[in-house]
């Protein structure tokens, strides 16, 4: 945003600069000869240009060569007009059109200056409206305050018990006698109005040079170049300057207004975006909700998404944009360990392949977990044979899902401060977002352990039959470790390849085909996977997934790859992936219609308690 602001200001200045340049070029202000005579001011005084000039600022040729047109700036930045007899007057205004200059006494005592004012030696006369009635003016001082017909007190010259008055000389009053006053001096032949003690300004006009003729044409005035006589010349264009300047100011103002308006609008948009983000951000930090909140968010448990072992999942809405899935836990189930586990583990981890816990509710005996809503539900819905067109997601997507799950598990194993072992990786616990990105969910059985801990203690077998590693059942098969998740992942991948359950625990039927062994035997025999895959590329993906799955379900945990290796295998082309050792070595390796081996994952197999 700062960049946007800076670039806008930059363009605004650039634009203004060009307009200004245009104006200056237009009235010749940039010409060398004219430039040093350009209009100037003393402080906030009137604009000074030909026939006047400011001494020390404008060269001689800028003013009319006659005493009186040379102005100066005082220390207080006032414009001073110097006239013969060292009379200095303050210039208030210059009307170039009427050729009138309005002046006053710098000390505010005009009547004191007037006796010395000899206009005949200057280019100025008293302005015409003051010509009506001329007379001499007498200045008196009296010892008492006095009042008579035409006299006015000259306050700037009076003092306590010393009263100064001005009075037209022909008034007929014998002030000396009548009022006991003494004449101080007389000012000869001045306009009647000026013989007023209160008058502070005087208008003087000049007849030559006649720059008013240029002003009439809205032009500037200057001395004609190369002329021996002081003759004037009109040049440039006063009107266009003011129009151009006006236009310039208008454009700049309009741009500024639009800019400020646009900026404010943008700024408001940004602010509301930030507010919204903070609101949403708050919602993404696990927050505690009351049971009433849960009822409100789920709209009284209106839409059910599914039912699991630990509770029912409802759809909910926290804000217009944040949809959630709320698992309301059954009271009868567990001692709250799953609840604590979930909040403790996924509450603080963030990974694109791990479901996000938005919040939770622990309101008396009521408990609920609030997750981000994943519109495509669980992966279990999509595990179907490749020929079941309406459910099968395609091999490329299957590969992406397997890779996403692998990365999620790798993150749990390696990416957090404490290693997280999930212990329940299965297709029901893999949820799919709108783009079918997989997210691992259900951390109720998960365990936290130290990064370098090679084995974990476990008092009861945990997990789902068919995905549980052999060592989770019995310590006879090795130590329980992160490799147990690798096993579950392998079973999940093989189910994705086969489009069916590897083990159907509901059928106690010994005749069931055990898919992992069946597929192993095919691969080992160099045979086709018999999965009716047309595209060569898809067949390659299916074979790669099958090999990775078989590596992950090695009976001995030591033989299974870490999730990091599994990710690398899935990311590679798969052409050079070796086929692992037979995970089912006790059965006949040549059988392609293998049956579920009795010693393997049967749900009636008793869990052996393990202690550290
Ligand atoms: N975050 C979610 N977004 C969308 N649907 C979900 C979400 N979580 C769960 N579901 C739906 O709710 C169903 C039940 O989920 P739940 O986790 O309670 O059970 P399960 O994993 O299927 O079984 P179990 O609890 O035994 O592991 C899921 O199958 C899925 O369809």
């Amino acid at each position: 945003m700062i960049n946007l602001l800076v670039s806008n200001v930059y363009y605004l200045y650039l634009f203004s600069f060009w307009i200004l340049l245009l104006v200056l070029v237009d009235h010749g202000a940039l010409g060398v000869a004219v430039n040093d005579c350009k209009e100037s001011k003393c402080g906030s005084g009137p604009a000074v240009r030909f026939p006047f000039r400011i001494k020390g600022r404008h060269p001689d040729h800028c003013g009319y060569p006659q005493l009186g047109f040379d102005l100066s700036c005082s220390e207080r930045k006032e414009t001073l007009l110097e006239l013969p007899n060292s009379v200095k007057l303050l210039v208030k205004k210059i009307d170039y059109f009427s050729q009138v200059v309005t002046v006053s006494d710098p000390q505010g005592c005009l009547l004191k200056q007037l006796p010395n004012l000899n206009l005949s030696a200057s280019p100025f006369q008293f302005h015409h409206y003051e010509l009506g009635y001329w007379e001499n003016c007498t200045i008196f001082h009296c010892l008492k305050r006095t009042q008579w017909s035409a006299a006015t007190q000259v306050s700037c010259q009076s003092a306590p018990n010393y009263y100064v008055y001005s009075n037209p000389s022909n008034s007929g009053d014998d002030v000396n006698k009548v009022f006991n006053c003494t004449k101080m001096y007389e000012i000869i032949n001045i306009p009647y109005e000026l013989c007023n003690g209160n008058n502070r300004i005087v208008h003087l006009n000049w007849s030559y040079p006649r720059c008013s003729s240029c002003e009439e044409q809205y032009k500037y005035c200057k001395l004609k170049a190369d002329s021996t006589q002081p003759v004037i010349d009109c040049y440039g264009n006063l009107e266009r300057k003011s129009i151009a300047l006006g236009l310039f100011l208008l454009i700049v103002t309009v741009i500024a207004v639009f800019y400020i308006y646009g900026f404010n609008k943008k700024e408001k948009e940004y602010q509301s975006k930030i507010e919204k983000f903070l609101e949403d951000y708050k919602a993404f930090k696990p927050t505690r909700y009351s049971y009433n909140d849960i009822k409100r968010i789920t709209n009284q448990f209106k839409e059910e998404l599914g039912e699991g072992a630990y509770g029912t999942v409802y759809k909910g809405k926290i804000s217009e944009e944040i949809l959630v899935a709320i698992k309301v836990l059954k009271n009868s189930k567990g001692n709250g360990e799953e609840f604590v586990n979930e909040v403790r583990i996924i509450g603080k981890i963030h990974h694109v392949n791990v479901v996000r816990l938005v919040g939770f509710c622990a309101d008396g005996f009521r408990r609920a977990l609030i997750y981000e809503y994943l519109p495509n539900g669980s992966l279990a819905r999509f595990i179907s044979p490749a020929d079941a067109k309406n459910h099968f997601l395609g091999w490329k997507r299957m590969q992406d899902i397997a890779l996403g799950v692998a990365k999620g598990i790798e993150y749990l194993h390696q990416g957090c401060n404490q290693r997280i072992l999930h212990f329940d990786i299965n297709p029901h616990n893999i949820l799919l977002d709108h783009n079918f990105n997989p997210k691992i969910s259900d951390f109720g059985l998960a365990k936290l352990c130290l990064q370098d801990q090679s084995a974990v203690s476990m008092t009861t077998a945990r997990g789902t039959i068919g995905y549980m590693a052999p060592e989770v059942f019995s310590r006879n098969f090795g130590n329980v470790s992160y490799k147990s998740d690798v096993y579950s992942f392998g079973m999940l991948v093989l189910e994705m390849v086969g489009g069916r359950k590897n083990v159907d625990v509901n059928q106690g039927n010994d005749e069931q085909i055990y898919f992992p062994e069946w597929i192993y035997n095919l691969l080992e025999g160099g045979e086709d996977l018999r999965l009716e895959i047309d595209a060569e590329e898809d067949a390659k993906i299916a074979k790669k997934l099958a090999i990775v799955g078989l590596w992950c379900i090695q009976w001995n945990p030591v033989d299974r790859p870490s999730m990091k290796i599994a990710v690398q295998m899935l990311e590679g082309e798969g052409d050079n992936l070796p086929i692992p050792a037979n995970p089912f070595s006790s059965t006949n390796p040549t059988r392609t219609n293998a049956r579920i081996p009795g010693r393997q994952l049967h749900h009636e197999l008793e869990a052996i308690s393990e202690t550290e």
Side-chain angles (χ1 to χ4, degrees):
M1 201 190 74
I2 301 267
N3 280 348
L4 186 83
L5 192 82
V6 169
S7 77
N8 281 351
V9 170
Y10 171 76
Y11 285 120
L12 184 70
Y13 278 122
L14 200 68
F15 179 74
S16 309
F17 171 75
W18 281 112
I19 295 272
L20 193 64
L21 202 66
L22 210 71
V23 170
L24 293 175
V25 167
D26 180 60
H27 76 267
L30 296 180
V32 177
V34 186
N35 195 31
D36 53 357
C37 292
K38 70 173 185 275
E39 210 168 75
S40 186
K41 283 180 180 184
C42 299
S44 57
V48 177
R49 61 173 188 260
F50 188 85
F52 294 94
R53 74 174 183 110
I54 297 176
K55 280 197 293 184
R57 202 178 290 180
H58 291 130
D60 289 354
H61 69 262
C62 295
Y64 195 73
Q66 189 179 355
L67 186 73
F69 289 112
D70 287 352
L71 306 181
S72 58
C73 294
S74 73
E75 277 179 4
R76 291 160 63 194
K77 296 200 174 140
E78 294 161 330
T79 316
L80 295 178
L81 171 67
E82 290 178 36
L83 292 175
N85 297 335
S86 308
V87 173
K88 282 192 178 177
L89 295 170
L90 202 69
V91 181
K92 298 269 188 193
K93 184 180 162 192
I94 305 173
D95 182 341
Y96 292 91
F97 187 80
S98 309
Q99 306 205 153
V100 174
V101 57
T102 306
V103 292
S104 68
D105 178 54
Q107 271 79 48
C109 210
L110 199 59
L111 281 177
K112 213 172 163 186
Q113 284 268 33
L114 284 180
N116 304 323
L117 189 65
N118 180 9
L119 289 181
S120 60
S122 82
F124 303 103
Q125 310 93 46
F126 290 112
H127 188 42
H128 62 89
Y129 68 84
E130 286 153 343
L131 288 177
Y133 189 11
W134 292 74
E135 62 186 349
N136 297 342
C137 181
T138 313
I139 312 296
F140 299 89
H141 75 84
C142 312
L143 295 175
K144 278 204 283 188
R145 194 182 285 278
T146 320
Q147 226 173 15
W148 77 95
S149 58
T152 49
Q153 190 177 346
V154 185
S155 38
C156 63
Q157 286 181 276
S158 299
N161 299 323
Y162 186 85
Y163 302 96
V164 178
Y165 291 95
S166 64
N167 192 39
S169 304
N170 62 357
S171 65
D173 296 326
D174 189 351
V175 286
N176 290 335
K177 283 188 188 150
V178 178
F179 300 105
N180 202 11
C181 298
T182 311
K183 180 178 169 182
M184 293 167 70
Y185 57 90
E186 190 170 27
I187 312 166
I188 309 297
N189 215 18
I190 57 166
Y192 175 78
E193 300 96 305
L194 292 187
C195 189
N196 180 331
N198 298 318
N199 186 50
R200 293 188 187 282
I201 56 164
V202 59
H203 302 286
L204 305 174
N205 75 299
W206 73 92
S207 308
Y208 293 100
R210 278 198 181 282
C211 283
S212 56
S213 59
C214 296
E215 298 277 330
E216 276 167 17
Q217 301 165 53
Y218 301 104
K219 289 191 168 179
Y220 287 97
C221 186
K222 66 169 182 175
L223 271 183
K224 202 168 205 160
D226 312 324
S227 170
T228 47
Q229 295 298 312
V231 192
I232 58 144
D233 207 3
C234 301
Y235 76 100
N237 205 323
L238 272 174
E239 183 196 38
R240 274 176 49 202
K241 174 205 168 191
S242 53
I243 288 180
L245 254 178
L247 202 71
F248 166 69
L249 289 176
L250 186 77
I251 292 171
V252 169
T253 312
V254 168
I255 292 174
V257 166
F258 270 100
Y259 175 73
I260 290 166
Y261 173 75
F263 175 73
N264 282 345
K265 214 173 135 197
K266 276 224 165 73
E267 183 52 31
K268 278 201 181 112
E269 272 171 30
Y270 292 142
Q271 276 173 16
S272 70
K273 256 190 197 156
I274 289 173
E275 283 305 325
K276 220 179 129 309
F277 162 76
L278 290 176
E279 259 315 293
D280 292 355
Y281 177 75
K282 209 169 80 192
F284 274 98
K285 242 176 71 206
T287 316
R288 187 171 185 168
Y289 289 88
S290 70
Y291 191 67
N292 279 341
D293 289 334
I294 301 292
K295 282 205 277 191
R296 180 179 47 80
I297 294 170
T298 57
N299 197 5
Q300 308 296 329
F301 307 106
K302 199 168 158 205
E303 197 177 331
E304 191 178 314
L305 293 171
E307 174 117 33
Y310 292 95
T312 311
V313 182
Y314 299 93
K315 189 172 174 181
K317 198 185 210 181
I318 285 186
S319 73
E320 266 319 303
E321 264 109 53
I322 303 176
L323 295 177
V324 287
I326 303 187
K327 188 187 279 188
V328 180
L329 300 172
K330 286 178 193 159
N331 300 330
S332 52
K333 280 275 175 183
N335 52 9
E337 197 193 333
E338 283 77 17
F339 174 83
V340 172
N341 239 7
E342 286 268 349
V343 177
R344 188 166 57 138
I345 296 175
I346 39 173
K348 63 180 180 193
I349 57 173
H350 298 291
H351 189 270
V352 66
N353 297 117
V354 176
V355 77
R356 192 183 286 259
L357 186 75
V358 176
F360 52 87
C361 162
D363 198 345
F365 61 89
R366 288 164 170 142
R367 288 181 210 121
L369 295 160
I370 307 170
Y371 303 99
E372 62 176 312
Y373 172 70
L374 297 161
N376 281 315
S378 79
L379 176 61
R381 283 171 57 202
F382 299 96
I383 293 197
S384 58
D387 51 0
K389 294 281 183 251
N390 46 350
H391 276 292
F392 185 60
L393 293 174
W395 287 103
K396 174 78 183 59
R397 198 163 256 168
M398 280 297 187
Q399 174 181 252
D400 292 343
I401 291 173
L403 184 61
V405 176
K407 284 182 175 170
I409 303 173
E410 189 207 352
Y411 171 74
L412 297 177
H413 289 181
Q414 304 287 351
C416 312
N417 292 346
Q418 274 184 299
R419 175 170 276 167
I420 300 165
L421 305 189
H422 188 279
F423 286 123
D424 203 11
I425 298 290
N426 72 60
H428 291 274
N429 292 337
I430 306 299
L431 300 172
L432 301 171
D433 73 4
H434 61 290
N435 279 329
F436 291 92
N437 292 318
K439 309 235 178 195
I440 301 166
S441 74
D442 235 331
F443 284 69
L445 300 182
K447 256 183 165 286
L448 287 171
C449 49
L450 298 174
Q451 280 289 3
D452 51 2
Q453 197 174 335
S454 57
V456 290
S457 67
M458 198 173 267
T459 47
T460 49
R462 43 175 88 197
T464 303
I465 302 293
Y467 305 90
M468 236 188 268
E471 66 275 13
V472 178
F473 273 105
S474 164
R475 215 165 53 183
N476 293 339
F477 299 126
N479 281 326
V480 174
S481 70
Y482 66 96
K483 293 284 182 79
S484 311
D485 278 347
V486 177
Y487 182 93
S488 308
F489 172 74
M491 292 303 268
L492 172 86
V493 171
L494 287 171
E495 280 200 1
M496 289 168 73
V497 177
R500 67 180 106 182
K501 273 191 166 310
N502 295 330
V503 180
D504 191 345
V505 290
N506 295 320
Q507 292 186 29
N509 185 356
D510 272 356
E511 291 306 302
Q512 248 193 106
I513 294 173
Y514 182 53
F515 179 73
E517 190 174 4
W518 177 77
I519 210 161
Y520 175 82
N521 291 336
L522 281 180
L523 284 173
E524 208 197 20
E527 290 182 54
D528 188 69
L529 282 186
R530 298 187 196 166
L531 291 171
E532 297 174 29
I533 303 172
D534 300 332
E536 196 185 316
E537 198 59 28
D538 288 345
K540 243 171 92 174
I541 293 174
K543 187 174 173 190
K544 178 170 78 178
L545 291 178
I547 296 174
V548 174
L550 289 168
W551 269 109
C552 292
I553 64 164
Q554 289 294 304
W555 194 265
N556 187 348
V558 178
D559 297 334
R560 295 173 210 151
S562 67
M563 282 316 297
K564 192 173 176 186
I565 302 291
V567 167
Q568 284 168 6
M569 288 164 123
L570 288 167
E571 280 174 336
E573 282 298 309
D575 296 330
N576 302 321
L577 271 187
I579 297 177
N582 184 1
F584 324 100
S585 51
S586 66
T587 58
N588 179 359
T590 54
R591 276 190 328 181
T592 51
N593 57 348
R595 306 286 179 263
I596 296 175
R599 62 159 203 173
Q600 286 194 1
L601 314 167
H602 196 277
H603 66 293
E604 283 173 4
L605 195 64
E606 238 180 62
I608 297 170
S609 294
E610 293 180 1
T611 49
E612 261 180 319

